[in-house]
Structure formats: structure tokens, C-alpha cells
């Protein structure tokens, strides 16, 4: 019976960091580096750049804002060009066609830290975006590595199936001759034929699993119909981390701080605000021009109910984000415990299967010789052969499961991508 390999294990998810050169990378390393150029990874990198631009925009509020303007108007009658103050010598300049061009500048004075809180929120949003980008990258690397591990296990299973098929075909050929010579019953030949048919069905299932894993790798960017050339499955050693240092917990922490800063910004915006203003305009009309300028300051205090209600909403959002941060840490601890248990279980299973394969190879060899000499039934021989095949399948499955579980844990812990590739592609 074929034990199917599940390569889509526990999900958990981009910053494209400096990687080792592809010339130094192994086969799996090459695939993982190609996966870093996946559209999903590039999209996450763009989101980081967008968050960085928003942070720069928040910092830019300290430098105020300026606006150039120009206008042209035709009036129903003549009007004063610029400003005329009674008592000024000379007649005012008037025209029914007046144009104006100038510059206005406003510089906020951050008395109560509104801009500082906005910039702090933008920084935490950037931190969260960078962590999310790393998570997305690691998730794509995990999907690629899991598909590769699946292919490795399936190829080893195909080798075991090929060996079993040779034995079945040899036994079937011998039984047919013995039936012809009257040394064996016809039922034995039919039993051998049924076992061969079952074997062919197993091969079809295995080939289907190969095609699915190849499609997963092709989606990640590998060439079509890729097959690994490295036979052995490498299982990295497990390293314990605290739940607070996992990516989901750190993302929740960044969002908690961003929500707190936004609540501070909304609360401080209820206080009076001060800005310094300056403008200069050239007013043209009536064949001449008049220049005007102004310097001053503006103090404003919001009195609308909506601002106060919005501040309350942001305060409640900050409280919810704090609760979510604690929840994320607990959930990360649960996931780490589950992954560690799955990793230890798979590693123990692989160790046990190595011993069982060695034992069953000896048993199958002895049973084969006994059946040839007529002291063992064909059914018992095939049962031992099938047990050997299942043990080999389970061995490869356990190795692939252990490696894929380690990979899934790195999506949770946030291992830097260059370290992930180096650990997975260890020679």
C-alpha cells in the first residue's frame, strides 16, 4: 500500500535579502533562489516600499507645505489690483482683468506631538510590512522546499517499487513455468498476476503524485518536469525559539504599537494646533502690478463631535490590538509546540524505519528462498515483500515530513531567507 506524501504541510508568511551566489548553491538552493523572484515575493517587496514612502511622507510634515498658484479672472467691472489701503499716496490700480501668481507656505509647530505620533505610527507600519514581507518570502520558500522534498521521497519510493516489481515479475515468471510443469497450482499464477496488477496501479498513483509535485515546483519558477538529482533527504536540526520572537507575534506587536501611536495622534489632535503662515503674490492688471505679502500664525481648536468620537474609536482599536498581540503570542506557542511534536515524531519514525527496512530485507530474502524450495506459500512471500515496500515508503515519508515540518517552523520563527536556504541546502 502506498503511503502518500503530503507536501502542503502547516502554513504559517518578504524581504529579498542578500543571498549567496547561485554558483555556490546546490540544486535545492537554486530552486529557492528562483522562488525569491516569484510575483508574490515581488508584491510583498513593493508593499514594503509603499510603507517606507508613507513614513517619509509623515516625516515630511515637519517641513510644512508650500503651494504655487496662478489665476486669471475677468470681472463685470473694474476692481482693485492687489490691496489698496486708504491713506496710501496715489490712486489705486484698478482693472477688470486681473491675474495673480504667488507662493503660500505653512509650517506646523508640533506643540503636542501630533506629527511625532503620526511618524511613529508610520514607522511601526513599516516594521509590520517588513515582517509580513519576510513571512511571505519564507512561505514561498517553504512551498518550494516541500515540493522538492516530496519529489525526493517519491523518487526513492519509485526505486523501491521498481525493485519490488523485478522480484514480482521474476516470481511470476517462475510460477508460470512451474504451473506448466505441474509443480505449482494455477491459483498461484493468478495470485502472482493480481499482485503484479496491484503493483502497476501503485505505480500509476505514484506517477500522479510526481506530476502534482512537479507542477508545484513549476509554479515556483523551476523548469518543466523537474526531477531532483540529489537522492538523500537532508533534515536540519531543530532549534528552539520563544513564542514572543516568532513572526506572527512580532507582526502583532508592531500593529499594537502602530494602533497605540494612532490613538495618541487622535487624542493629541484634540488639543490646540499652531502653524506659521507666509505668502507672496504678484497681482497684475491695468498695465501694472501690485505685490502683496503676509506673515502670521494660525491657532485652531477642533470643536466637532466627530473628532472626539474618532479619538475614542482609535483608543478602543489600540486596546483591541494589544489583546490581539497577546493572542498571537499564545497561538505561536501552540503552533511551535505542535510543529516540534510533529518533527520529533517524524524523526523517531525515520529512525525506526531504517532499522525495520534492514530487518525486512533479510526476512524477505529468507522467505523468497523458502518459497522457491516449497516450504513457504506465495501469499506469505508477497506479504513480506509488501511489508518491505511499505517500510521503505514510510521511511522516505518520515524523512520528508521531518524536513518539511522544520521548514514550516521557519515560516513561523522568521529565519532570515539566506539562512533558510543555507540550512535547507546543506551539503
Amino acid at each position: 500500500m502506498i503511503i502518500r506524501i503530503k507536501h502542503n504541510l502547516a502554513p504559517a508568511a518578504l524581504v529579498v535579502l542578500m543571498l549567496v551566489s547561485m554558483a555556490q548553491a546546490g540544486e535545492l538552493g537554486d530552486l529557492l533562489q528562483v522562488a525569491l523572484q516569484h510575483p508574490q515575493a515581488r508584491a510583498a517587496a513593493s508593499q514594503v516600499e509603499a510603507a517606507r514612502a508613507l513614513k517619509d511622507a509623515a516625516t515630511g510634515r515637519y517641513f510644512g507645505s508650500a503651494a504655487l498658484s496662478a489665476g486669471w479672472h475677468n470681472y463685470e467691472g473694474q476692481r482693485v489690483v492687489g490691496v489698496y489701503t486708504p491713506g496710501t499716496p496715489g490712486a489705486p490700480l484698478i482693472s477688470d482683468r486681473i491675474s495673480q501668481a504667488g507662493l503660500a507656505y505653512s509650517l506646523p509647530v508640533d506643540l503636542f506631538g501630533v506629527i511625532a505620533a503620526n511618524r511613529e505610527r508610520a514607522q511601526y507600519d513599516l516594521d509590520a510590512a517588513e515582517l509580513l514581507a519576510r513571512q511571505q518570502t519564507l512561505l514561498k520558500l517553504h512551498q518550494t522546499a516541500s515540493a522538492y522534498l516530496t519529489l525526493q521521497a517519491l523518487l526513492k519510493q519509485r526505486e523501491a517499487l521498481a525493485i519490488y516489481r523485478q522480484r514480482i515479475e521474476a516470481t511470476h515468471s517462475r510460477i508460470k513455468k512451474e504451473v506448466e510443469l505441474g509443480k505449482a497450482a494455477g491459483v498461484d499464477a493468478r495470485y502472482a498476476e493480481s499482485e503484479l496488477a496491484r503493483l502497476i496501479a501503485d505505480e500509476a498513483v505514484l506517477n500522479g503524485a510526481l506530476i502534482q509535485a512537479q507542477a508545484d515546483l513549476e509554479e515556483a519558477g523551476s523548469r518543466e518536469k523537474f526531477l531532483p538529482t540529489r537522492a538523500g533527504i537532508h533534515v536540519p536540526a531543530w532549534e528552539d525559539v520563544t513564542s514572543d520572537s516568532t513572526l506572527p507575534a512580532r507582526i502583532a506587536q508592531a500593529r499594537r504599537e502602530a494602533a497605540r501611536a494612532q490613538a495618541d495622534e487622535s487624542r493629541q489632535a484634540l488639543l490646540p494646533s499652531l502653524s506659521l503662515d507666509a505668502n507672496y503674490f504678484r497681482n497684475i492688471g491695468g498695465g501694472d502690478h501690485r505685490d502683496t505679502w503676509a506673515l502670521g500664525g494660525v491657532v485652531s481648536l477642533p470643536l466637532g463631535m466627530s473628532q472626539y468620537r474618532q479619538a475614542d474609536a482609535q483608543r478602543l482599536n489600540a486596546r483591541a490590538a494589544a489583546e490581539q498581540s497577546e493572542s498571537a503570542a499564545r497561538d505561536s506557542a501552540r503552533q511551535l509546540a505542535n510543529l516540534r511534536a510533529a518533527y520529533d515524531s517524524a524523526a523517531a519514525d525515520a529512525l525506526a524505519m531504517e532499522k525495520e527496512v534492514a530487518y525486512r530485507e533479510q526476512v524477505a530474502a529468507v522467505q523468497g528462498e523458502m518459497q522457491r524450495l516449497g516450504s513457504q506459500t506465495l501469499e506469505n512471500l508477497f506479504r513480506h515483500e509488501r511489508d518491505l515496500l511499505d517500510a521503505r515508503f514510510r521511511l522516505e515519508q518520515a524523512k520528508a515530513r521531518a524536513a518539511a515540518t522544520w521548514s514550516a517552523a521557519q515560516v513561523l520563527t522568521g529565519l532570515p531567507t539566506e539562512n533558510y536556504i543555507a540550512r535547507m541546502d546543506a551539503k
Side-chain angles (χ1 to χ4, degrees):
M1 175 182 179
I2 291 183
I3 303 177
R4 296 185 180 181
I5 304 294
K6 292 185 178 180
H7 58 273
N8 190 15
L9 296 175
L14 157 68
V15 178
V16 180
L17 302 172
M18 188 67 66
L19 302 172
V20 295
S21 66
M22 294 188 68
Q24 296 177 341
E27 181 178 65
L28 177 55
D30 291 342
L31 291 173
L32 294 175
Q33 288 180 358
V34 170
L36 289 176
Q37 304 305 318
H38 192 276
Q40 180 179 335
R42 297 200 302 270
S46 296
Q47 290 172 346
V48 171
E49 293 305 314
R52 183 171 289 110
L54 289 175
K55 178 196 170 185
D56 293 340
T59 302
R61 291 179 60 185
Y62 282 115
F63 304 100
S65 60
L68 285 171
S69 62
W72 299 265
H73 298 89
N74 290 334
Y75 296 99
E76 74 284 358
Q78 291 188 335
R79 298 191 178 188
V80 174
V81 178
V83 176
Y84 177 75
T85 304
T88 302
L93 180 64
I94 59 176
S95 176
D96 59 356
R97 294 184 179 183
I98 301 176
S99 61
Q100 183 186 65
L103 171 67
Y105 178 72
S106 177
L107 179 65
V109 180
D110 196 24
L111 294 176
F112 301 104
V114 175
I115 298 178
N118 180 259
R119 185 177 183 277
E120 184 181 12
R121 175 170 64 90
Q123 177 61 57
Y124 283 119
D125 286 341
L126 174 59
D127 294 342
E130 290 175 342
L131 293 171
L132 282 169
R134 182 189 296 187
Q135 188 179 63
Q136 289 296 318
T137 302
L138 287 170
L139 182 58
K140 180 52 63 176
L141 293 178
H142 166 64
Q143 293 171 348
T144 302
S146 295
Y148 180 85
L149 293 167
T150 297
L151 284 176
Q152 281 186 302
L154 290 172
L155 289 179
K156 294 290 288 185
Q157 291 179 355
R158 190 167 69 176
E159 292 176 6
L161 206 57
I163 294 173
Y164 183 41
R165 180 166 186 162
Q166 291 177 355
R167 293 181 179 178
I168 294 297
E169 289 177 341
T171 302
H172 178 247
S173 178
R174 177 172 57 82
I175 293 297
K176 284 180 61 177
K177 293 180 180 178
E178 290 178 356
V179 169
E180 293 174 356
L181 296 174
K183 296 181 179 181
V187 67
D188 288 341
R190 289 191 294 273
Y191 186 78
E193 290 174 357
S194 68
E195 186 66 19
L196 185 58
R198 180 183 176 184
L199 182 61
I200 293 173
D202 289 345
E203 289 176 340
V205 173
L206 190 145
N207 289 333
L210 278 172
I211 292 173
Q212 292 177 7
Q214 287 174 327
D216 290 340
L217 275 182
E218 187 176 349
E219 189 276 336
S222 73
R223 66 178 185 272
E224 187 178 0
K225 304 300 182 184
F226 172 85
L227 287 176
T229 59
R230 191 173 75 181
I233 296 177
H234 170 67
V235 181
W238 186 275
E239 294 182 358
D240 290 322
V241 298
T242 61
S243 60
D244 290 339
S245 64
T246 60
L247 272 182
R250 292 168 62 189
I251 291 170
Q253 290 166 8
R255 288 174 171 168
R256 178 194 66 196
E257 294 303 320
R260 178 194 56 76
Q262 188 170 16
D264 291 343
E265 178 185 357
S266 297
R267 185 181 66 255
Q268 291 158 0
L270 299 177
L271 301 174
S273 63
L274 170 64
S275 63
L276 303 178
D277 298 332
N279 62 70
Y280 173 82
F281 291 96
R282 169 158 289 197
N283 306 278
I284 303 172
D288 202 351
H289 67 83
R290 291 289 187 271
D291 295 341
T292 59
W293 59 269
L295 292 174
V298 176
V299 177
S300 61
L301 176 66
L303 297 177
M305 180 60 67
S306 62
Q307 290 95 329
Y308 289 87
R309 298 306 299 167
Q310 185 177 7
D312 288 340
Q314 297 299 341
R315 177 178 55 82
L316 294 173
N317 284 337
R319 183 188 301 175
E323 299 294 343
Q324 290 170 351
S325 177
E326 182 180 352
S327 175
R330 293 185 181 184
D331 188 62
S332 293
R334 176 189 62 81
Q335 292 186 57
L336 281 174
N338 290 342
L339 288 170
R340 180 58 191 268
Y343 176 88
D344 291 342
S345 174
D349 198 14
L351 182 61
M353 286 302 101
E354 287 179 353
K355 297 180 180 180
E356 182 171 342
V357 166
Y359 158 74
R360 291 198 177 280
E361 284 177 345
Q362 296 178 354
V363 171
V366 172
Q367 294 297 321
E369 183 62 21
M370 291 176 63
Q371 199 281 329
R372 189 182 66 80
L373 296 175
S375 59
Q376 183 61 276
T377 64
L378 186 62
E379 183 176 0
N380 284 337
L381 172 62
F382 284 164
R383 179 173 58 81
H384 287 294
E385 291 283 3
R386 176 63 65 171
D387 288 344
L388 172 59
L389 180 65
D390 287 345
R392 285 173 172 166
F393 281 12
R394 185 175 170 182
L395 171 61
E396 299 308 320
Q397 181 193 37
K399 289 180 179 179
R401 191 171 70 249
T405 302
W406 180 90
S407 175
Q410 307 321 302
V411 179
L412 188 65
T413 62
L415 183 70
T417 54
E418 69 274 16
N419 295 346
Y420 176 94
I421 294 176
R423 296 284 300 278
M424 284 298 298
D425 196 40
K427 306 298 186 293

